[in-house]
mmCIF file of all heavy atoms in Angstrom:
data_model
loop_
_atom_site.group_PDB
_atom_site.id
_atom_site.type_symbol
_atom_site.label_atom_id
_atom_site.label_comp_id
_atom_site.label_asym_id
_atom_site.label_seq_id
_atom_site.Cartn_x
_atom_site.Cartn_y
_atom_site.Cartn_z
ATOM 1 N N ARG A 73 -93.714 -13.364 -114.238
ATOM 2 C CA ARG A 73 -93.864 -14.550 -115.092
ATOM 3 C C ARG A 73 -94.013 -14.149 -116.560
ATOM 4 O O ARG A 73 -93.654 -14.901 -117.454
ATOM 5 C CB ARG A 73 -95.057 -15.391 -114.626
ATOM 6 C CG ARG A 73 -94.798 -16.093 -113.289
ATOM 7 C CD ARG A 73 -96.052 -16.754 -112.748
ATOM 8 N NE ARG A 73 -96.618 -17.708 -113.682
ATOM 9 C CZ ARG A 73 -96.165 -18.944 -113.837
ATOM 10 N NH1 ARG A 73 -95.169 -19.373 -113.121
ATOM 11 N NH2 ARG A 73 -96.728 -19.743 -114.711
ATOM 12 N N PHE A 78 -93.536 -17.208 -119.009
ATOM 13 C CA PHE A 78 -94.480 -18.252 -118.597
ATOM 14 C C PHE A 78 -95.928 -17.824 -118.811
ATOM 15 O O PHE A 78 -96.827 -18.649 -118.841
ATOM 16 C CB PHE A 78 -94.275 -18.628 -117.128
ATOM 17 C CG PHE A 78 -92.945 -19.252 -116.860
ATOM 18 C CD1 PHE A 78 -92.102 -18.736 -115.902
ATOM 19 C CD2 PHE A 78 -92.526 -20.345 -117.597
ATOM 20 C CE1 PHE A 78 -90.866 -19.302 -115.667
ATOM 21 C CE2 PHE A 78 -91.295 -20.918 -117.375
ATOM 22 C CZ PHE A 78 -90.460 -20.396 -116.405
ATOM 23 N N HIS A 99 -87.589 -20.959 -122.600
ATOM 24 C CA HIS A 99 -86.263 -21.583 -122.619
ATOM 25 C C HIS A 99 -85.301 -20.888 -123.573
ATOM 26 O O HIS A 99 -84.121 -21.198 -123.594
ATOM 27 C CB HIS A 99 -86.370 -23.083 -122.934
ATOM 28 C CG HIS A 99 -86.890 -23.399 -124.300
ATOM 29 N ND1 HIS A 99 -88.237 -23.566 -124.566
ATOM 30 C CD2 HIS A 99 -86.250 -23.576 -125.473
ATOM 31 C CE1 HIS A 99 -88.385 -23.836 -125.844
ATOM 32 N NE2 HIS A 99 -87.213 -23.849 -126.418
ATOM 33 N N VAL A 103 -83.178 -14.687 -119.691
ATOM 34 C CA VAL A 103 -83.737 -14.160 -118.458
ATOM 35 C C VAL A 103 -83.858 -15.361 -117.549
ATOM 36 O O VAL A 103 -84.307 -16.406 -117.986
ATOM 37 C CB VAL A 103 -85.142 -13.589 -118.759
ATOM 38 C CG1 VAL A 103 -85.897 -13.345 -117.485
ATOM 39 C CG2 VAL A 103 -85.047 -12.318 -119.573
ATOM 40 N N ASN A 104 -83.401 -15.254 -116.330
ATOM 41 C CA ASN A 104 -83.545 -16.387 -115.420
ATOM 42 C C ASN A 104 -84.286 -15.970 -114.176
ATOM 43 O O ASN A 104 -84.309 -14.812 -113.798
ATOM 44 C CB ASN A 104 -82.186 -16.990 -115.060
ATOM 45 C CG ASN A 104 -81.618 -17.786 -116.213
ATOM 46 O OD1 ASN A 104 -80.543 -17.505 -116.702
ATOM 47 N ND2 ASN A 104 -82.375 -18.747 -116.677
ATOM 48 N N MET A 105 -84.899 -16.965 -113.558
ATOM 49 C CA MET A 105 -85.818 -16.656 -112.471
ATOM 50 C C MET A 105 -85.437 -17.444 -111.222
ATOM 51 O O MET A 105 -85.022 -18.595 -111.318
ATOM 52 C CB MET A 105 -87.224 -17.064 -112.933
ATOM 53 C CG MET A 105 -88.298 -16.751 -111.951
ATOM 54 S SD MET A 105 -89.787 -16.270 -112.848
ATOM 55 C CE MET A 105 -91.004 -16.457 -111.582
ATOM 56 N N PHE A 107 -87.413 -18.837 -108.197
ATOM 57 C CA PHE A 107 -88.821 -19.028 -107.879
ATOM 58 C C PHE A 107 -89.087 -18.823 -106.392
ATOM 59 O O PHE A 107 -88.215 -19.019 -105.554
ATOM 60 C CB PHE A 107 -89.269 -20.431 -108.282
ATOM 61 C CG PHE A 107 -89.357 -20.612 -109.767
ATOM 62 C CD1 PHE A 107 -88.230 -20.812 -110.523
ATOM 63 C CD2 PHE A 107 -90.586 -20.543 -110.404
ATOM 64 C CE1 PHE A 107 -88.308 -20.957 -111.894
ATOM 65 C CE2 PHE A 107 -90.667 -20.680 -111.774
ATOM 66 C CZ PHE A 107 -89.531 -20.894 -112.521
ATOM 67 N N SER A 109 -90.724 -20.656 -104.536
ATOM 68 C CA SER A 109 -90.517 -21.928 -103.830
ATOM 69 C C SER A 109 -89.120 -22.489 -104.075
ATOM 70 O O SER A 109 -88.830 -23.604 -103.679
ATOM 71 C CB SER A 109 -91.555 -22.929 -104.307
ATOM 72 O OG SER A 109 -91.454 -23.077 -105.713
ATOM 73 N N ALA A 111 -87.773 -24.146 -106.191
ATOM 74 C CA ALA A 111 -87.806 -25.182 -107.235
ATOM 75 C C ALA A 111 -86.447 -25.838 -107.448
ATOM 76 O O ALA A 111 -86.001 -26.019 -108.573
ATOM 77 C CB ALA A 111 -88.354 -24.610 -108.552
ATOM 78 N N ILE A 112 -85.774 -26.187 -106.371
ATOM 79 C CA ILE A 112 -84.528 -26.962 -106.457
ATOM 80 C C ILE A 112 -84.899 -28.390 -106.848
ATOM 81 O O ILE A 112 -85.830 -28.959 -106.285
ATOM 82 C CB ILE A 112 -83.807 -26.965 -105.093
ATOM 83 C CG1 ILE A 112 -83.493 -25.548 -104.639
ATOM 84 C CG2 ILE A 112 -82.547 -27.822 -105.148
ATOM 85 C CD1 ILE A 112 -82.506 -24.820 -105.487
ATOM 86 N N PHE A 113 -84.191 -28.967 -107.830
ATOM 87 C CA PHE A 113 -84.524 -30.326 -108.272
ATOM 88 C C PHE A 113 -84.126 -31.334 -107.201
ATOM 89 O O PHE A 113 -82.938 -31.466 -106.881
ATOM 90 C CB PHE A 113 -83.811 -30.645 -109.591
ATOM 91 C CG PHE A 113 -84.109 -29.661 -110.675
ATOM 92 C CD1 PHE A 113 -83.102 -28.969 -111.312
ATOM 93 C CD2 PHE A 113 -85.428 -29.407 -111.048
ATOM 94 C CE1 PHE A 113 -83.380 -28.042 -112.303
ATOM 95 C CE2 PHE A 113 -85.716 -28.483 -112.039
ATOM 96 C CZ PHE A 113 -84.694 -27.799 -112.662
ATOM 97 N N PRO A 114 -85.100 -32.075 -106.668
ATOM 98 C CA PRO A 114 -84.783 -32.952 -105.534
ATOM 99 C C PRO A 114 -83.986 -34.189 -105.934
ATOM 100 O O PRO A 114 -83.353 -34.807 -105.092
ATOM 101 C CB PRO A 114 -86.166 -33.345 -104.998
ATOM 102 C CG PRO A 114 -87.093 -33.157 -106.128
ATOM 103 C CD PRO A 114 -86.523 -32.092 -107.010
ATOM 104 N N HIS A 115 -84.009 -34.550 -107.226
ATOM 105 C CA HIS A 115 -83.314 -35.766 -107.627
ATOM 106 C C HIS A 115 -81.858 -35.494 -108.004
ATOM 107 O O HIS A 115 -81.138 -36.415 -108.381
ATOM 108 C CB HIS A 115 -84.047 -36.424 -108.795
ATOM 109 C CG HIS A 115 -84.198 -35.526 -109.990
ATOM 110 N ND1 HIS A 115 -85.070 -34.447 -110.013
ATOM 111 C CD2 HIS A 115 -83.584 -35.517 -111.184
ATOM 112 C CE1 HIS A 115 -84.986 -33.839 -111.170
ATOM 113 N NE2 HIS A 115 -84.091 -34.459 -111.910
ATOM 114 N N TYR A 124 -77.321 -27.297 -114.015
ATOM 115 C CA TYR A 124 -78.426 -27.796 -114.842
ATOM 116 C C TYR A 124 -78.492 -27.122 -116.211
ATOM 117 O O TYR A 124 -78.658 -27.774 -117.230
ATOM 118 C CB TYR A 124 -79.754 -27.595 -114.101
ATOM 119 C CG TYR A 124 -80.930 -28.227 -114.809
ATOM 120 C CD1 TYR A 124 -81.271 -29.547 -114.566
ATOM 121 C CD2 TYR A 124 -81.683 -27.515 -115.734
ATOM 122 C CE1 TYR A 124 -82.323 -30.144 -115.216
ATOM 123 C CE2 TYR A 124 -82.741 -28.100 -116.400
ATOM 124 C CZ TYR A 124 -83.056 -29.414 -116.133
ATOM 125 O OH TYR A 124 -84.100 -30.002 -116.790
ATOM 126 N N GLY A 125 -78.343 -25.793 -116.208
ATOM 127 C CA GLY A 125 -78.522 -25.058 -117.462
ATOM 128 C C GLY A 125 -77.316 -25.100 -118.397
ATOM 129 O O GLY A 125 -77.354 -24.531 -119.477
ATOM 130 N N ARG A 127 -75.967 -27.740 -119.895
ATOM 131 C CA ARG A 127 -75.899 -28.899 -120.795
ATOM 132 C C ARG A 127 -75.547 -28.508 -122.226
ATOM 133 O O ARG A 127 -74.668 -29.096 -122.845
ATOM 134 C CB ARG A 127 -77.232 -29.649 -120.793
ATOM 135 C CG ARG A 127 -77.239 -30.879 -121.709
ATOM 136 C CD ARG A 127 -78.610 -31.506 -121.774
ATOM 137 N NE ARG A 127 -79.602 -30.625 -122.349
ATOM 138 C CZ ARG A 127 -79.820 -30.478 -123.655
ATOM 139 N NH1 ARG A 127 -79.117 -31.163 -124.520
ATOM 140 N NH2 ARG A 127 -80.743 -29.645 -124.105
ATOM 141 N N LYS A 128 -76.237 -27.476 -122.722
ATOM 142 C CA LYS A 128 -76.091 -27.154 -124.139
ATOM 143 C C LYS A 128 -74.721 -26.584 -124.475
ATOM 144 O O LYS A 128 -74.296 -26.615 -125.625
ATOM 145 C CB LYS A 128 -77.179 -26.176 -124.566
ATOM 146 C CG LYS A 128 -78.465 -26.911 -124.939
ATOM 147 C CD LYS A 128 -79.462 -25.973 -125.552
ATOM 148 C CE LYS A 128 -80.472 -25.563 -124.520
ATOM 149 N NZ LYS A 128 -81.519 -24.711 -125.014
ATOM 150 N N ARG A 165 -81.015 -23.264 -99.856
ATOM 151 C CA ARG A 165 -81.750 -23.518 -101.103
ATOM 152 C C ARG A 165 -81.867 -22.245 -101.922
ATOM 153 O O ARG A 165 -81.741 -22.247 -103.139
ATOM 154 C CB ARG A 165 -83.172 -23.977 -100.791
ATOM 155 C CG ARG A 165 -83.281 -25.408 -100.449
ATOM 156 C CD ARG A 165 -84.637 -25.648 -99.836
ATOM 157 N NE ARG A 165 -84.581 -26.896 -99.123
ATOM 158 C CZ ARG A 165 -85.335 -27.946 -99.424
ATOM 159 N NH1 ARG A 165 -86.214 -27.863 -100.377
ATOM 160 N NH2 ARG A 165 -85.210 -29.052 -98.754
ATOM 161 N N ARG A 172 -77.794 -21.262 -109.533
ATOM 162 C CA ARG A 172 -78.256 -22.005 -110.699
ATOM 163 C C ARG A 172 -78.631 -21.045 -111.828
ATOM 164 O O ARG A 172 -78.434 -21.338 -113.010
ATOM 165 C CB ARG A 172 -79.472 -22.836 -110.270
ATOM 166 C CG ARG A 172 -79.994 -23.773 -111.301
ATOM 167 C CD ARG A 172 -81.081 -24.628 -110.726
ATOM 168 N NE ARG A 172 -82.292 -23.856 -110.459
ATOM 169 C CZ ARG A 172 -83.418 -24.393 -110.006
ATOM 170 N NH1 ARG A 172 -83.481 -25.672 -109.737
ATOM 171 N NH2 ARG A 172 -84.475 -23.637 -109.797
ATOM 172 N N LEU A 176 -75.511 -19.026 -115.615
ATOM 173 C CA LEU A 176 -75.793 -18.854 -117.042
ATOM 174 C C LEU A 176 -75.524 -17.422 -117.508
ATOM 175 O O LEU A 176 -75.740 -17.103 -118.670
ATOM 176 C CB LEU A 176 -77.245 -19.223 -117.334
ATOM 177 C CG LEU A 176 -77.618 -20.665 -116.982
ATOM 178 C CD1 LEU A 176 -79.096 -20.905 -117.199
ATOM 179 C CD2 LEU A 176 -76.800 -21.632 -117.808
ATOM 180 N N ASP B 174 -94.289 -30.042 -107.579
ATOM 181 C CA ASP B 174 -94.488 -28.634 -107.862
ATOM 182 C C ASP B 174 -94.269 -28.342 -109.351
ATOM 183 O O ASP B 174 -93.189 -28.592 -109.868
ATOM 184 C CB ASP B 174 -93.456 -27.896 -106.998
ATOM 185 C CG ASP B 174 -93.596 -26.406 -107.080
ATOM 186 O OD1 ASP B 174 -94.471 -25.953 -107.828
ATOM 187 O OD2 ASP B 174 -92.827 -25.717 -106.390
ATOM 188 N N SER B 176 -93.584 -25.748 -110.691
ATOM 189 C CA SER B 176 -92.496 -24.787 -110.926
ATOM 190 C C SER B 176 -91.163 -25.498 -111.157
ATOM 191 O O SER B 176 -90.227 -24.881 -111.661
ATOM 192 C CB SER B 176 -92.395 -23.776 -109.787
ATOM 193 O OG SER B 176 -92.072 -24.391 -108.584
ATOM 194 N N MET B 177 -91.071 -26.805 -110.832
ATOM 195 C CA MET B 177 -89.870 -27.575 -111.194
ATOM 196 C C MET B 177 -89.696 -27.567 -112.711
ATOM 197 O O MET B 177 -88.589 -27.345 -113.226
ATOM 198 C CB MET B 177 -90.005 -29.035 -110.757
ATOM 199 C CG MET B 177 -90.089 -29.233 -109.285
ATOM 200 S SD MET B 177 -88.513 -28.981 -108.520
ATOM 201 C CE MET B 177 -88.999 -29.013 -106.823
ATOM 202 N N GLU B 179 -91.112 -25.502 -114.783
ATOM 203 C CA GLU B 179 -90.885 -24.128 -115.240
ATOM 204 C C GLU B 179 -89.435 -23.728 -115.030
ATOM 205 O O GLU B 179 -88.829 -23.068 -115.877
ATOM 206 C CB GLU B 179 -91.820 -23.172 -114.496
ATOM 207 C CG GLU B 179 -93.233 -23.254 -115.009
ATOM 208 C CD GLU B 179 -94.175 -22.325 -114.265
ATOM 209 O OE1 GLU B 179 -93.813 -21.803 -113.203
ATOM 210 O OE2 GLU B 179 -95.291 -22.135 -114.757
ATOM 211 N N ALA B 180 -88.874 -24.160 -113.898
ATOM 212 C CA ALA B 180 -87.472 -23.837 -113.628
ATOM 213 C C ALA B 180 -86.586 -24.430 -114.722
ATOM 214 O O ALA B 180 -85.645 -23.787 -115.186
ATOM 215 C CB ALA B 180 -87.067 -24.373 -112.263
ATOM 216 N N SER B 181 -86.894 -25.632 -115.144
ATOM 217 C CA SER B 181 -86.110 -26.275 -116.201
ATOM 218 C C SER B 181 -86.205 -25.481 -117.499
ATOM 219 O O SER B 181 -85.195 -25.216 -118.163
ATOM 220 C CB SER B 181 -86.593 -27.703 -116.410
ATOM 221 O OG SER B 181 -86.043 -28.230 -117.576
ATOM 222 N N ALA B 182 -87.424 -25.080 -117.852
ATOM 223 C CA ALA B 182 -87.608 -24.272 -119.052
ATOM 224 C C ALA B 182 -86.835 -22.963 -118.908
ATOM 225 O O ALA B 182 -86.169 -22.496 -119.835
ATOM 226 C CB ALA B 182 -89.088 -23.991 -119.284
ATOM 227 N N ASP B 183 -86.921 -22.390 -117.725
ATOM 228 C CA ASP B 183 -86.252 -21.126 -117.462
ATOM 229 C C ASP B 183 -84.736 -21.255 -117.628
ATOM 230 O O ASP B 183 -84.067 -20.325 -118.046
ATOM 231 C CB ASP B 183 -86.581 -20.689 -116.040
ATOM 232 C CG ASP B 183 -86.150 -19.274 -115.759
ATOM 233 O OD1 ASP B 183 -86.701 -18.373 -116.406
ATOM 234 O OD2 ASP B 183 -85.253 -19.074 -114.927
ATOM 235 N N LEU B 184 -84.214 -22.438 -117.301
ATOM 236 C CA LEU B 184 -82.776 -22.661 -117.410
ATOM 237 C C LEU B 184 -82.381 -23.114 -118.816
ATOM 238 O O LEU B 184 -81.263 -23.559 -119.030
ATOM 239 C CB LEU B 184 -82.325 -23.682 -116.371
ATOM 240 C CG LEU B 184 -82.473 -23.193 -114.922
ATOM 241 C CD1 LEU B 184 -82.336 -24.335 -113.938
ATOM 242 C CD2 LEU B 184 -81.459 -22.106 -114.611
ATOM 243 N N GLY B 185 -83.318 -23.042 -119.745
ATOM 244 C CA GLY B 185 -82.956 -23.210 -121.147
ATOM 245 C C GLY B 185 -83.330 -24.533 -121.785
ATOM 246 O O GLY B 185 -82.968 -24.770 -122.931
ATOM 247 N N GLU B 186 -84.037 -25.402 -121.073
ATOM 248 C CA GLU B 186 -84.396 -26.685 -121.665
ATOM 249 C C GLU B 186 -85.800 -26.629 -122.268
ATOM 250 O O GLU B 186 -86.728 -26.131 -121.630
ATOM 251 C CB GLU B 186 -84.338 -27.791 -120.602
ATOM 252 C CG GLU B 186 -82.944 -28.045 -120.061
ATOM 253 C CD GLU B 186 -81.968 -28.596 -121.087
ATOM 254 O OE1 GLU B 186 -82.178 -28.424 -122.302
ATOM 255 O OE2 GLU B 186 -80.971 -29.213 -120.670
ATOM 256 N N ASN B 187 -85.953 -27.180 -123.468
ATOM 257 C CA ASN B 187 -87.282 -27.201 -124.083
ATOM 258 C C ASN B 187 -88.108 -28.338 -123.481
ATOM 259 O O ASN B 187 -87.651 -29.052 -122.591
ATOM 260 C CB ASN B 187 -87.163 -27.342 -125.603
ATOM 261 C CG ASN B 187 -86.444 -28.618 -126.008
ATOM 262 O OD1 ASN B 187 -86.385 -29.572 -125.240
ATOM 263 N ND2 ASN B 187 -85.890 -28.626 -127.198
ATOM 264 N N TRP B 190 -86.526 -32.022 -123.365
ATOM 265 C CA TRP B 190 -85.453 -32.215 -122.390
ATOM 266 C C TRP B 190 -85.966 -32.068 -120.967
ATOM 267 O O TRP B 190 -85.502 -32.746 -120.053
ATOM 268 C CB TRP B 190 -84.310 -31.243 -122.663
ATOM 269 C CG TRP B 190 -83.426 -31.705 -123.764
ATOM 270 C CD1 TRP B 190 -83.457 -31.286 -125.062
ATOM 271 C CD2 TRP B 190 -82.404 -32.701 -123.683
ATOM 272 N NE1 TRP B 190 -82.515 -31.966 -125.782
ATOM 273 C CE2 TRP B 190 -81.847 -32.836 -124.973
ATOM 274 C CE3 TRP B 190 -81.909 -33.487 -122.646
ATOM 275 C CZ2 TRP B 190 -80.812 -33.717 -125.248
ATOM 276 C CZ3 TRP B 190 -80.876 -34.377 -122.923
ATOM 277 C CH2 TRP B 190 -80.345 -34.487 -124.207
ATOM 278 N N THR B 191 -86.887 -31.126 -120.783
ATOM 279 C CA THR B 191 -87.464 -30.958 -119.455
ATOM 280 C C THR B 191 -88.136 -32.245 -119.007
ATOM 281 O O THR B 191 -87.987 -32.684 -117.874
ATOM 282 C CB THR B 191 -88.481 -29.803 -119.467
ATOM 283 O OG1 THR B 191 -87.793 -28.587 -119.713
ATOM 284 C CG2 THR B 191 -89.214 -29.705 -118.138
ATOM 285 N N ARG B 194 -85.274 -34.716 -118.194
ATOM 286 C CA ARG B 194 -84.340 -34.360 -117.121
ATOM 287 C C ARG B 194 -85.036 -34.061 -115.798
ATOM 288 O O ARG B 194 -84.397 -34.118 -114.746
ATOM 289 C CB ARG B 194 -83.507 -33.142 -117.537
ATOM 290 C CG ARG B 194 -82.557 -33.440 -118.685
ATOM 291 C CD ARG B 194 -81.608 -32.303 -118.908
ATOM 292 N NE ARG B 194 -80.604 -32.195 -117.854
ATOM 293 C CZ ARG B 194 -79.795 -31.160 -117.720
ATOM 294 N NH1 ARG B 194 -79.890 -30.142 -118.551
ATOM 295 N NH2 ARG B 194 -78.906 -31.133 -116.752
ATOM 296 N N VAL B 195 -86.304 -33.683 -115.856
ATOM 297 C CA VAL B 195 -86.977 -33.340 -114.604
ATOM 298 C C VAL B 195 -88.205 -34.220 -114.368
ATOM 299 O O VAL B 195 -88.284 -34.949 -113.381
ATOM 300 C CB VAL B 195 -87.392 -31.848 -114.572
ATOM 301 C CG1 VAL B 195 -88.215 -31.540 -113.339
ATOM 302 C CG2 VAL B 195 -86.156 -30.975 -114.607
ATOM 303 N N PRO B 198 -87.449 -38.290 -114.064
ATOM 304 C CA PRO B 198 -86.826 -38.734 -112.809
ATOM 305 C C PRO B 198 -87.750 -38.580 -111.605
ATOM 306 O O PRO B 198 -87.734 -39.391 -110.692
ATOM 307 C CB PRO B 198 -85.613 -37.807 -112.663
ATOM 308 C CG PRO B 198 -85.344 -37.293 -114.011
ATOM 309 C CD PRO B 198 -86.641 -37.278 -114.752
ATOM 310 N N MET B 199 -88.584 -37.526 -111.623
ATOM 311 C CA MET B 199 -89.455 -37.287 -110.479
ATOM 312 C C MET B 199 -90.573 -38.319 -110.410
ATOM 313 O O MET B 199 -90.994 -38.716 -109.331
ATOM 314 C CB MET B 199 -90.062 -35.886 -110.561
ATOM 315 C CG MET B 199 -89.044 -34.791 -110.678
ATOM 316 S SD MET B 199 -88.553 -34.101 -109.124
ATOM 317 C CE MET B 199 -89.949 -33.107 -108.775
ATOM 318 N N GLU B 277 -91.895 -37.663 -98.972
ATOM 319 C CA GLU B 277 -90.774 -36.741 -98.809
ATOM 320 C C GLU B 277 -91.112 -35.412 -99.464
ATOM 321 O O GLU B 277 -92.013 -35.318 -100.269
ATOM 322 C CB GLU B 277 -89.519 -37.316 -99.494
ATOM 323 C CG GLU B 277 -88.972 -38.538 -98.799
ATOM 324 C CD GLU B 277 -87.934 -39.249 -99.659
ATOM 325 O OE1 GLU B 277 -87.378 -38.604 -100.560
ATOM 326 O OE2 GLU B 277 -87.719 -40.439 -99.423
ATOM 327 N N ASP B 278 -90.372 -34.398 -99.085
ATOM 328 C CA ASP B 278 -90.684 -33.104 -99.694
ATOM 329 C C ASP B 278 -90.109 -33.025 -101.100
ATOM 330 O O ASP B 278 -88.924 -33.195 -101.321
ATOM 331 C CB ASP B 278 -90.143 -31.944 -98.832
ATOM 332 C CG ASP B 278 -88.644 -31.996 -98.691
ATOM 333 O OD1 ASP B 278 -88.084 -33.098 -98.849
ATOM 334 O OD2 ASP B 278 -88.048 -30.957 -98.442
ATOM 335 N N ILE B 279 -90.986 -32.883 -102.035
ATOM 336 C CA ILE B 279 -90.525 -32.675 -103.409
ATOM 337 C C ILE B 279 -91.281 -31.531 -104.019
ATOM 338 O O ILE B 279 -92.214 -31.033 -103.451
ATOM 339 C CB ILE B 279 -90.690 -33.926 -104.319
ATOM 340 C CG1 ILE B 279 -91.990 -34.644 -104.018
ATOM 341 C CG2 ILE B 279 -89.530 -34.841 -104.157
ATOM 342 C CD1 ILE B 279 -92.287 -35.820 -104.886
#
Side-chain angles (χ1 to χ4, degrees):
Chain A
R73 289 172 57 80
F78 295 125
H99 65 270
V103 166
N104 286 121
M105 183 144 163
F107 289 78
S109 57
I112 301 294
F113 304 123
H115 57 288
Y124 187 88
R127 180 185 63 84
K128 275 189 260 183
R165 279 166 198 242
R172 186 174 70 177
L176 300 175
Chain B
D174 185 358
S176 63
M177 296 286 171
E179 284 179 347
S181 168
D183 191 64
L184 294 166
E186 295 295 22
N187 60 22
W190 280 99
T191 294
R194 293 189 72 191
V195 174
M199 305 267 284
E277 291 168 21
D278 61 337
I279 39 177

